[in-house]
């Protein structure tokens, strides 16, 4: 049975407010909302952070009946309730502490500077302003700094090839991989920024000095991972990564002279 906080989020009044804010000229009215089964297992950050938050977070499948132009229509939608970036940062700091050693000692200094502190704001900004293509239809967003509530109402993806297949990488054929790479390349092309173009005003944008200041964290992460995953971090690769950390200023200067684009940092499931 959903708790009262969840019921408030999936209420017709709340969803109608999101819809009308997203499309001000719309006169749609939410007549009814029914739950739909939804697999949350692929959302690792949400799953791990759920225990850190007093608010309901995660993905909620909904069958939403709208009155549009005087006629009722039912749409299958997903309400994504984002964890606040501070909750994600706290959860990751807890995991780092469990690792012990160098990583546990170093991580607290950088816990709010690893790129997760502002994810609740960045994701909504992308949904509101990104070019169409390669993402579900967005029906509405909601951001409330006072309550820490950040939501996205989006299309429910059904009958999609390889949906939630991160745990079954063998299902990906060569054709699937090439199709995905082609579509991701098109997405990158649509969001390409020329060198020198002003970066978004996030406090954790990875500038050269910012990345250099985090060098102790990158080193601690490498020292923690290499002995635990020797198949992924052999001697040669570990040496290359250590050299890359030492060469951050030169590498960042090289990158800054080239175009940039919008990317998805975890679009990289490991295939053994």
């Amino acid at each position: 049975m959903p708790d009262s906080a969840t019921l408030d989020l999936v209420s017709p009044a709340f969803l109608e407010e999101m819809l009308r804010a997203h499309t001000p000229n719309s006169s749609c009215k939410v007549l009814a909302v029914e739950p739909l089964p939804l697999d949350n297992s692929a959302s690792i950050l949400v799953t791990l952070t759920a225990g850190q938050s007093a608010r309901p977070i995660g993905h909620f499948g909904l069958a939403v009946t709208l009155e549009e132009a005087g006629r009722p229509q039912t749409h299958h939608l997903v309400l994504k309730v984002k964890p606040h970036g501070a909750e994600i940062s706290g959860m990751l700091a807890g995991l780092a502490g469990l690792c012990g050693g160098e990583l546990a000692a170093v991580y607290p200094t950088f816990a709010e500077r690893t790129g997760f502190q502002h994810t609740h704001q960045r994701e909504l900004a992308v949904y509101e302003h990104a070019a169409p293509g390669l993402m579900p239809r967005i029906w509405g967003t909601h951001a409330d700094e006072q309550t820490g509530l950040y939501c996205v109402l989006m299309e429910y993806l059904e009958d999609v090839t390889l949906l939630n297949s991160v745990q079954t990488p063998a299902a990906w054929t060569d054709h699937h991989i090439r199709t995905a790479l082609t579509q991701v390349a098109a997405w990158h092309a649509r969001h390409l920024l020329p060198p020198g173009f002003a970066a978004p005003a996030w406090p954790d944008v990875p500038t050269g000095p910012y990345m250099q200041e985090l060098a102790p964290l990158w080193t601690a992460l490498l020292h923690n991972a290499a002995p635990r995953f020797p198949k992924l971090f052999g001697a040669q690769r570990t040496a290359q990564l250590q050299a890359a950390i030492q060469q951050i200023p030169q590498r960042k200067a090289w990158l800054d002279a080239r175009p940039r684009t919008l990317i998805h940092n975890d679009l990289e499931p490991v295939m053994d």
Side-chain angles (χ1 to χ4, degrees), residues 16 22 84 92 116-117 140 143 147 149 187 209 228 233 242:
E16 188 172 305
H22 188 70
H84 193 282
L92 292 173
F116 293 97
Q117 188 73 12
T147 63
L149 183 62
W187 168 268
R228 286 177 165 84
F233 296 90
Q242 189 66 65

Side-chain angles (χ1 to χ4, degrees), residues 165-211:
S165 60
V166 68
Q167 300 297 335
T168 54
W172 284 71
T173 65
D174 181 75
H175 173 71
H176 291 138
I177 294 170
R178 290 179 183 275
T179 299
L181 290 175
T182 299
Q183 294 182 359
V184 169
W187 168 268
H188 288 166
R190 283 195 293 275
H191 296 88
L192 205 62
L193 298 176
F197 194 88
W202 302 111
D204 53 2
V205 170
T207 63
Y210 184 95
M211 296 296 286

